[in-house]
Every structure is written in C-alpha cells, then in structure tokens.
Amino acid sequence: MARIVQFHEAGDADVLKIEEVDVPAPAPDEVQIAVRAIGLNRAEVRFRQSAYIQKAQFPSKLGYEAAGIVQAVGSQVSGFAISDVVSVIPTEDMARWGTYGELINIPARHVVKHPSNLTFEQAAASWMMYIAAWGALVQQAGLKAGDFVIVTAASSSVGTAAFQVAHAVGAKVIATTRTSAKAHALRDAGADFVIATEEENLVARVMEITKDQGARIAFDPVGGPNIAILADAMAKRGMIFSYGALNRDGGPFPQFPVVAKSLTVKGYLYSEVVDNDDTLERAKAFILPRLHSGEFTPLISRLFPFDEIQAATRFLESNEQIGKVVVTVAGSAHG
C-alpha cells in the first residue's frame, strides 16, 4: 500500500484526494520508484478540469514528472537496479502512469539516471520543460546562433527552460509577460529582453530589438488572439509554435501576415518527442550533459509537502510563480 493522489470527478483542486492504494509490482517493461519529489505542470490542471487532450476515467491518477529511488524492476528491464537514483520523463498517459504518489510504476524508456549534482527536487523539475523547449526550438525549428525567439507567458517553467535551451545554441530570447512586475526576475532567469504586453506594444518592441527583421521563432502557450499579434512580430519564413492553448477563446486567423511572410503556424505537443525512440534519445543527449555541467539549471519557484498537494496546485494556477512548482515526498518504508 502507498499514498497516491487520485480524483473521482472533474473540478478544482479540492477534488484531489490522497488515498491508500495497493501498488502492484512493476510490469515487465516498468521500473518501480519510491518518489522523493514531484514536478507539477499545467497539463495536469487541465486534465483534472476535464479540459485536456486526454480524458480521465474515474478514479484517476495524474502527473507527468517525479524523481526518486528504484524499488523494483520489471523482468524485461535492463540498465536499472534497486537503489538507483532516477527521474521520470513524461509518459504519454498520465492516468495510467501518474506520478502524484509515494510509489509509482513507470515504463523504463521514460526513466533516467539523472546527474548526481541534481537534487530530487531539481530532477523532478527538469524533464517536461527541457523536453518541450528542445523539441520545438531545436529539433523542429532548428534554432541557431543569431536567431531571436519570442517566449510568451515566459514565467512558466517551460518558458524559463526555453531561455536556457536558446542560449545553448547562441540564440537571443525576447520574453513576454503581462506587466513589468516580473520583468526583473525574468532577466535574472536569462531573458535577453522583456516586453510587458499590457504596458508596451509587442510588435513595435520586437521590431526595435530585431532592427525591423522580426523574430524567426515564437514559442507560445497562450494561443487565441495572441497568434495574430505574434504573426505581425515575425520575420519572413518564421515559425510560431502553439503548444498550450491557455486562452480557450478563438481569435482571427492572421491570414495576411501568414501568407505575406510565408509563416508556419504549428500546433505542438511534447509527445512529438517522447513517442519516437530516436527523437527521445537525441533529446536526452542534448539535455543530460547540460544538466550535469550546470549549463541547464531548473528554476524552482516554490516547494510544497506532499500533504499540501491541493495548495501546491492552487499556487500553480495563481500564475504567481516564476519557474517550477515542486512537491516533496518524505522518505517512507518504500525507500
């Protein structure tokens, strides 16, 4: 038996319940992990609210990220042993392989022996954000030295990870945020330029920064009317990645700038990386050495204990954070 977070109906954070559940032995291709830290993501909020691409079957587990200690390995698993310190790359099914719990089973291809310089909290905060940023910016867009990339809603964990991924290839980051309240913190986190969109004209500022060339790439979790504004700020043959759909309101499709600038507007999911073995291995090869060297350092906004899982997800939903919200899990009989 182990304590696992489940929910029995869609709703706000109050529906999250910590329940005693019998955790089975790992399947032949799985690794069982005694969890020490859990990284929270907005996708899990949307899943809980029944507003995500995956729908829950109740009672449902949830969660994409965690770090901990290997407790058991499936009969077909090689490369992992009991007591290994590991972290979880998000799976394609958080209901089946939810990470909000003391003891979890995860497919071995989604488990990594993370560098020893990382704490459990940092390791649990790493994989969704770096995988998501790398997949769009490097793997698909070919971001390179001298490029400008607009990162919207930049105080999110994926946003701050995108700063580090961009800098790793020599690109410049234009971060956007609604007001100037977070501007100093975003610069500290690595943004080369910050635009407060409620106080400044985004298009005019981007053109000023890029000497009227526009940005080659935009990495946008907001969507809605935001796409039309970004289109006007793009360079010719630029790419807009829409990956979060935080704004559920429709907006006008920016047909004229899309055609006039030969823009690509692409929907993007992290699963485009993790559902392909070769792409996933390339992502690991890009991310792991930089985590080890310290070039990539996960930015953690705030820690919460496991018993405060509802408060932790409410804080995530408040938009007050800059970086990752992480839940810590105390040691137990599981490891």
Side-chain angles (χ1 to χ4, degrees):
M1 301 291 288
R3 297 198 304 159
I4 304 294
V5 175
Q6 297 192 125
F7 61 110
H8 296 255
E9 61 181 328
D12 63 18
D14 290 343
V15 303
L16 297 176
K17 307 297 181 185
I18 298 175
E19 300 175 336
E20 288 278 347
V21 174
D22 185 19
V23 178
D29 64 342
E30 291 178 343
V31 173
Q32 187 169 90
I33 302 168
V35 174
R36 290 291 172 268
I38 303 162
L40 304 192
N41 295 281
R42 290 188 182 277
E44 294 141 17
V45 173
R46 302 291 290 277
F47 179 62
R48 188 200 73 219
Q49 295 171 336
S50 193
Y52 192 51
I53 53 177
Q54 180 183 6
K55 299 301 181 184
Q57 300 293 319
F58 302 118
S60 180
K61 296 181 288 186
L62 76 168
Y64 274 135
E65 293 183 282
I69 302 169
V70 173
Q71 295 296 285
V73 296
S75 59
Q76 297 175 2
V77 173
S78 60
F80 294 101
I82 293 172
S83 298
D84 281 347
V85 174
V86 297
S87 50
V88 176
I89 293 174
T91 69
E92 297 166 70
D93 187 341
M94 79 167 92
R96 180 177 179 184
W97 294 296
T99 60
Y100 286 21
E102 294 177 330
L103 191 68
I104 61 176
N105 292 323
I106 300 292
R109 72 185 294 272
H110 290 267
V111 179
V112 178
K113 295 178 186 177
H114 58 257
S116 59
N117 56 298
L118 295 184
T119 65
F120 285 121
E121 292 79 13
Q122 290 173 320
S126 295
W127 286 103
M128 175 63 88
M129 62 187 191
Y130 288 120
I131 286 273
W134 174 86
L137 301 183
V138 177
Q139 169 70 10
Q140 296 192 15
L143 187 70
K144 61 186 183 302
D147 281 342
F148 286 90
V149 54
I150 301 172
V151 178
T152 68
S155 60
S156 70
S157 59
V158 176
T160 58
F163 300 175
Q164 297 177 34
V165 170
H167 289 157
V169 298
K172 296 289 187 181
V173 174
I174 303 171
T176 79
T177 183
R178 289 186 300 108
T179 72
S180 56
K182 294 181 178 179
H184 181 75
L186 289 173
R187 292 188 186 95
D188 286 347
D192 298 289
F193 307 91
V194 179
I195 301 174
T197 56
E198 292 182 359
E199 302 168 15
E200 305 172 85
N201 184 300
L202 184 144
V203 176
R205 283 285 289 126
V206 169
M207 291 303 170
E208 177 186 356
I209 291 165
T210 63
K211 297 181 170 54
D212 291 324
Q213 296 302 302
R216 191 172 78 80
I217 300 167
F219 192 45
D220 175 53
V222 180
N226 205 48
I227 298 294
I229 299 171
L230 287 173
D232 286 334
M234 301 303 294
K236 290 182 179 178
R237 292 177 291 281
M239 297 183 69
I240 300 174
F241 288 90
S242 180
Y243 71 91
L246 295 177
N247 187 335
R248 302 303 291 258
D249 296 334
F253 181 74
Q255 181 173 340
F256 181 76
V258 166
V259 172
K261 297 181 180 182
S262 298
L263 300 181
T264 298
V265 180
K266 184 186 183 303
Y268 172 71
L269 295 170
Y270 81 94
S271 59
E272 295 175 47
V273 176
V274 302
D275 67 5
N276 181 281
D277 288 341
D278 290 340
T279 306
L280 180 57
E281 288 306 312
R282 286 196 295 273
K284 292 177 185 178
F286 186 91
I287 295 165
L288 273 170
R290 290 175 170 85
L291 287 171
H292 186 268
S293 69
E295 181 181 359
F296 284 179
T297 303
L299 179 60
I300 296 176
S301 175
R302 187 171 168 187
L303 302 176
F304 288 82
F306 184 62
D307 286 336
E308 296 180 17
I309 188 66
Q310 292 183 355
T313 195
R314 288 192 192 98
F315 180 70
L316 175 67
E317 294 175 73
S318 74
N319 296 321
E320 295 177 22
Q321 80 283 0
I322 297 177
K324 197 80 167 184
V325 180
V326 175
V327 170
T328 60
V329 184
S332 70
H334 303 297

